[in-house]
Every structure is written in structure tokens, then in C-alpha cells.
Amino acid sequence: MDAVNPISNIKKFLITSFIFFVSLVLAVVIVAKEYIQVNELDSQVTDIKGLNSSVDVSLDTHSIPEINAQNDQDLYFMMGFLHAQDRLWQMEVQKRLSHGRLSELFGKSAVNQDIWMRTLGLGKWAEKMLIKLRPELRLSLESYSRG
């Protein structure tokens, strides 16, 4: 039977502890950076390409935004911008789900889901409904999408 080398165990412990510590510091830095970025939005926004005028965005204690804009297009644009900032991945997955294109992201495991969703035709139905919308509703949706 091999003898246990105490120095080897100490090295393993130190390496494992170092990796854990670095991972913990990295996680704290990422969370802090995200927190700072979210709270920096608590001001007047003018430098985002696509806005027609300045928009005021303030965040409450739970980081829920309140948007004050001079026109509806800027309001919907900023709402889309803020949603995409926090939920772009979710929005992309839902778009692909409704069009039966999840397997483009997840491979063979999503093919049956794609077949089912294409059979339902939700994506094509939504595109047909978009054409029938009143112009002001369509403009609002387009502004949100641009954001």
C-alpha cells in the first residue's frame, strides 16, 4: 500500500482553495459590475442610437425601471432596450421557439419541439397578424424591437 504524502495533500488543498478563491472573487466582481451598470441608468439617457429625444430612466430599490419619454416611440424603444439588456437570451430563445427553430441552438434534442411548433404555425400566424395591426400599434412594436 502506498504511503500518503502529506505535502501532496497540502498542495492539492492549496490549489483547490486558490481556484475557489479566484472563482469567488470573479463572481463578486461580475455581480458588482452588473449592479453598478444597472444603477448607472438612473439618469437622463440621450446617447443611445435610435432615440429621437432624451429619455429619463429611474430605477427603484428593486432595479425596476420607470421610463419617462417625450413621445411614445422613444418610450417603447427604451422599454425594448431595457428588456434586451436584461433578457436578450430569453427573448432569442422564445423567438426561435415560436418559429420552430430551437434545434439551431440546442441540436437534435429540440427537433421534436421544432416540428410541433412549426405544425402549430405560431410564427407565421404572428407575421400575418402584424400586417393587420393598426399603424400606431405596429409603430409601437417596431420601436420596441429597434430598442
Side-chain angles (χ1 to χ4, degrees), residues 38-46 55-59 66:
V38 167
N39 286 322
E40 284 178 353
L41 270 179
D42 203 13
S43 63
Q44 191 174 55
V45 180
T46 58
V55 175
D56 290 320
V57 178
S58 59
L59 303 173
E66 178 183 324

Side-chain angles (χ1 to χ4, degrees), residues 95-101 114 117-132:
K95 178 180 76 170
R96 288 176 187 267
L97 173 67
S98 68
H99 284 87
R101 296 177 36 219
D114 285 351
M117 294 307 287
R118 287 182 186 194
T119 301
L120 291 177
L122 295 178
K124 289 183 180 185
W125 178 82
E127 289 171 4
K128 289 178 184 176
M129 292 293 101
L130 185 62
I131 294 169
K132 296 179 181 182

